[in-house]
Amino acid sequence: HNNENFPIIDIKSSKAGDGHSLAITKCGKIFSWGDGDNGNLGHGTTTAEKRPTLIKELENVKVVNIAVGTKHSACVTSDGRVFTWGDSESDRLGHAVTRPVNGDTRKSRYPEVIKGINEAIQVACGAHHTLILDRRNNSVIYACGQASDGRLGFGLKSDVDIKHKLNAKLYKVKMKPFQNERILKIAASSSCSFALTYSGKVFSWGM
C-alpha cells in the first residue's frame, strides 16, 4: 500500500526477541510486520513479514489505538472494543484462543475481541501482561496476564487463579489512590505498570 494513501499516525514496536511492529493510519487501518512466530502479526500465519501488511481481519473496523508486547499484540477500535492476538501464556490476551496457531491453543493467529469491554480508550502491553483503560466510572483500568511482581495491580505477587465478573481472564485494578483520580494514559513495561492522571500524578506498580 502507498503511504500517500495510508498516512501513518502511530507506530509501536516490541523490544525483545526478533521483534514485530504495528502501525495505524489516519483512516483507522492497521498494519503489522516483523517476526510472526506466535501469531502476533494477526495474519493467520507464523511467517515473518518484511513489509507493513494490512491485517485483513480488522479491515472493516476503525482502529484508534495499538500496543505490542514481546509476543502479543493489541488494539482498540473506535467503538471501544479491544482485540488481542499472539501468545496467550498467563492469559495475557484476556480471552480464550478459538483460532490457534498450528493447533497450539496458547497462541492466537487472528485478532479476537475481549468480551465485556465496550468503552475502552487505550491498551498497553507489557512483556507478559496487558492493561486496558476504560472510560466508564471515571476511568477504570483492567489487567490480564502474569501477576508476578505485582504488575497487575491487585496486591498479588504471584500467579493465582482469580476471576473477575466481566471475564474469567480479565481483572479490575483496585488501587485506593485511583478513587478520586481520572486516568489519562496507561503504560506497561516488562514487569511493571503505570498510570498518568489528568491532575498530573503518576502511579506505578510492579517491580
Side-chain angles (χ1 to χ4, degrees):
H1 293 282
N2 192 315
N3 284 338
E4 293 180 0
N5 298 324
F6 293 89
I8 302 298
I9 61 171
D10 192 17
I11 295 177
K12 293 290 193 309
S13 297
S14 63
K15 300 174 178 64
D18 293 332
H20 72 289
S21 301
L22 297 181
I24 51 173
T25 68
K26 188 175 182 180
C27 60
K29 302 299 181 184
I30 179 170
F31 294 78
S32 66
W33 66 99
D35 174 54
D37 284 351
N38 299 281
N40 41 289
L41 297 185
H43 303 305
T45 69
T46 57
T47 58
E49 294 287 348
K50 296 181 179 180
R51 298 174 181 270
T53 303
L54 179 69
I55 300 179
K56 293 183 179 180
E57 284 283 310
L58 298 170
E59 192 171 12
N60 295 320
V61 299
K62 183 178 182 180
V63 176
V64 297
N65 183 250
I66 52 176
V68 296
T70 305
K71 298 179 180 179
H72 72 298
S73 305
C75 73
V76 177
T77 59
S78 59
D79 58 0
R81 292 181 295 165
V82 177
F83 290 81
T84 58
W85 59 99
D87 193 332
S88 70
E89 184 182 358
S90 301
D91 293 330
R92 73 187 80 175
L93 298 185
H95 58 71
V97 174
T98 61
R99 292 183 289 178
V101 173
N102 299 325
D104 187 347
T105 55
R106 297 170 299 175
K107 300 175 181 179
S108 178
R109 58 192 174 101
Y110 289 110
E112 298 188 42
V113 70
I114 297 179
K115 296 179 181 179
I117 298 294
N118 302 301
E119 296 188 49
I121 53 178
Q122 189 196 346
V123 63
C125 294
H128 303 284
H129 71 297
T130 304
L131 302 177
I132 299 165
L133 179 59
D134 192 294
R135 66 168 60 94
R136 289 178 293 184
N137 300 322
N138 198 35
S139 301
V140 172
I141 298 176
Y142 294 100
C144 54
Q146 193 176 83
S148 59
D149 302 319
R151 73 192 77 185
L152 296 188
F154 316 122
L156 304 173
K157 294 183 179 180
S158 61
D159 291 333
V160 294
D161 182 20
I162 58 176
K163 297 182 184 299
H164 181 266
K165 64 180 180 180
L166 269 184
N167 190 300
K169 301 178 184 298
L170 190 68
Y171 318 118
K172 187 176 179 180
V173 176
K174 297 180 179 180
M175 301 184 71
K176 290 183 179 179
F178 288 163
Q179 290 179 354
N180 298 314
E181 296 285 350
R182 187 180 175 198
I183 308 301
L184 175 63
K185 291 183 179 181
I186 53 175
S189 67
S190 178
S191 57
C192 56
S193 305
F194 304 88
L196 172 66
T197 71
Y198 277 89
S199 63
K201 296 178 181 178
V202 176
F203 294 87
S204 64
W205 56 101
M207 184 180 74

